[in-house]
Amino acid sequence: MPNAFPLSLSDPDMLGFARKPLEHLDRLIRRHIEEGRYPGCQIALARQGKLALYRSYGDARIEPKRVPAGDDTLWLLFSNTKVLTMAAVWSLVEDGVLSFNDRVADHIPEFARHGKGEITLFQLATHQAGFPGANVSRDAWADHARMRAEVCDFRPEWPAGSRLHYHPRAAHVTLAVVLEAVTGEDFRDVIRERVSDPLGLSRELFVGLPRAEQSRCADIHAPPTPDAPGDNSAAFREAGLPHGGGFGTARAMAAFYQMMLGGGRLGDLRVFSRRMIEFVTRDFTADRPDEYMSGIPMHRGLGPHSRGSGERTRGLGGIAAPGTYGHGGVGSSYCWADPTSGVSFAYITNFVSPDPWHSARMDRVSNLAHAAIE
């Protein structure tokens, strides 16, 4: 395991960032915390394989006593986890074990049940598989034989490919079962061995958090509603749900996207080929509206989504370059990369804020990071 974080710490001025927008960003986050919008937050800004900014705000935990957030704090990534799960798929495609055009049933024959035999990995990755409402039970978190059986029993809601509709849980749980089927390993180990470890992020990026590391976690909070997301239990953290159960630091996510901006390289480490990164960041869904996202075109790649050139966007910042790509976590976070400038940015909080406030603040937060780019 590397002794040093893979991105060296530099200075915003040295890396070509304007100070004033970053000061505005700092002030905005501090105001959010003073207003009680979220207990804590962490941001990271990187360029040229270096960290320009890494800062923690507020509290990681507030009960039974307040614990300030620090550089070592791990934050629930929610759906940012989807990109990490997909990265393990990219790796297996590069090894010739998988193809994006494979049918799930090629690797898990019983998945063909209920008319799902033609669904492909590509359709899962681009949220066109046709079963967005499906999910596995809590009992399946630690019992992956049960997880496989429940995934195979998912029922289509419409024909695959006929509609574009974000799959909050089902698509990436299915991909995790495929990872296990083709490797014979726990999907959490596959992601660690093929993504976190090669990047030198073994202690900062987890899908499946060991009990020994859980004291570092920020608690997640949400408005008191019956379906409020977030779970601070040890079982949830250890489960590493492939659609939304990863944990990490903001600088780890900024480093992950620096690797992507580097064409699959992070410093001297080659994790993916340049062609793979170019392929998975393409816009495969163009201006088709995503029904789950209030009809906003999400410009889906095979993991991240991109800004596009339309009026409406989500999370990446309205003034972002069209090719900017990344992903968010429900009501709490966004992490992205701008290939025109080589800048990556991560913003992670520990409160699930509802819309319209969440989307409005994300536009401001990301715009300030973009505005700092010289």
Side-chain angles (χ1 to χ4, degrees):
M1 184 171 67
N3 293 322
F5 188 75
L7 302 185
S8 60
L9 186 60
S10 185
D11 179 270
D13 296 325
M14 296 293 292
L15 293 176
F17 292 102
R19 289 278 179 171
K20 190 173 181 180
L22 297 181
E23 291 170 359
H24 289 325
L25 176 59
D26 179 79
R27 195 156 45 243
L28 179 66
I29 292 171
R30 292 182 188 279
R31 189 175 78 234
H32 287 166
I33 291 175
E34 289 169 2
E35 292 173 350
R37 297 286 188 174
Y38 40 86
C41 171
Q42 194 174 76
I43 60 171
L45 185 68
R47 195 177 202 178
Q48 299 172 8
K50 298 179 181 179
L51 267 177
L53 182 66
Y54 182 45
R55 191 170 293 164
S56 302
Y57 298 84
D59 295 321
R61 295 186 293 280
I62 57 178
E63 294 176 351
K65 65 178 182 179
R66 293 187 176 274
V67 177
D71 289 354
D72 200 42
T73 299
L74 296 171
W75 306 77
L76 178 56
L77 299 174
F78 281 118
S79 286
N80 288 289
T81 311
K82 290 178 170 67
V83 183
L84 306 180
T85 300
M86 277 306 306
V89 175
W90 308 340
S91 176
L92 288 164
V93 170
E94 290 216 315
D95 283 358
V97 176
L98 291 173
S99 167
F100 294 120
N101 293 320
D102 286 353
R103 299 174 302 175
V104 176
D106 292 338
H107 305 289
I108 308 170
E110 65 270 33
F111 183 79
R113 196 179 302 146
H114 308 308
K116 302 193 303 298
E118 298 303 312
I119 294 173
T120 66
L121 304 188
F122 180 89
Q123 289 171 327
L124 288 168
T126 54
H127 299 270
Q128 300 182 79
F131 46 87
N135 194 14
V136 296
S137 68
R138 190 182 184 101
D139 290 339
W141 290 1
D143 182 349
H144 290 190
R146 178 168 184 156
M147 181 181 289
R148 175 169 170 150
E150 291 183 5
V151 162
C152 290
D153 206 38
F154 286 169
R155 292 178 179 270
E157 296 166 50
W158 48 76
S162 65
R163 294 165 68 175
L164 183 62
H165 191 294
Y166 183 63
H167 288 46
R169 302 172 182 87
H172 291 75
V173 173
T174 303
L175 287 165
V177 172
V178 172
L179 292 177
E180 295 192 340
V182 299
T183 65
E185 296 184 67
D186 188 302
F187 74 83
R188 295 168 292 187
D189 293 331
V190 178
I191 296 170
R192 175 178 52 79
E193 293 165 3
R194 291 179 172 268
V195 183
S196 302
D197 286 357
L199 286 169
L201 298 173
S202 301
R203 292 202 69 250
E204 301 220 12
L205 203 56
F206 298 88
V207 178
L209 187 60
R211 297 287 175 112
E213 300 285 356
Q214 293 192 16
S215 62
R216 298 167 56 198
C217 288
D219 283 347
I220 194 69
H221 304 276
T225 59
D227 59 348
D231 188 328
N232 296 313
S233 69
F236 171 82
R237 292 168 173 171
E238 198 166 26
L241 298 177
H243 52 80
F247 281 82
T249 62
R251 70 177 182 176
M253 291 304 297
F256 177 87
Y257 280 107
Q258 280 293 297
M259 174 275 293
M260 295 188 71
L261 291 168
R265 289 183 176 272
L266 187 63
D268 295 331
L269 300 168
R270 183 186 189 274
V271 185
F272 299 102
S273 69
R274 181 172 294 277
R275 289 289 179 266
M276 177 60 71
I277 300 302
E278 290 172 349
F279 183 74
V280 301
T281 56
R282 289 182 193 175
D283 176 3
F284 289 106
T285 60
D287 289 329
R288 290 175 62 192
D290 188 309
E291 298 171 18
Y292 184 91
M293 302 292 181
S294 303
I296 297 174
M298 294 300 289
H299 305 283
R300 297 281 179 197
L302 300 182
H305 70 94
S306 56
R307 163 66 178 92
S309 58
E311 176 186 0
R312 303 174 73 195
T313 187
R314 189 174 180 90
L316 302 174
I319 69 170
T324 300
Y325 57 80
H327 210 287
V330 60
S332 60
S333 58
Y334 244 93
C335 305
W336 50 256
D338 172 17
T340 68
S341 65
V343 170
S344 61
F345 177 68
Y347 165 89
I348 311 175
T349 74
N350 57 349
F351 191 92
V352 181
S353 302
D355 273 332
W357 188 84
H358 168 62
S359 292
R361 66 83 182 257
M362 273 315 318
D363 195 52
R364 288 168 170 78
V365 167
S366 287
N367 281 343
L368 286 169
H370 289 296
I373 300 170
E374 298 282 20

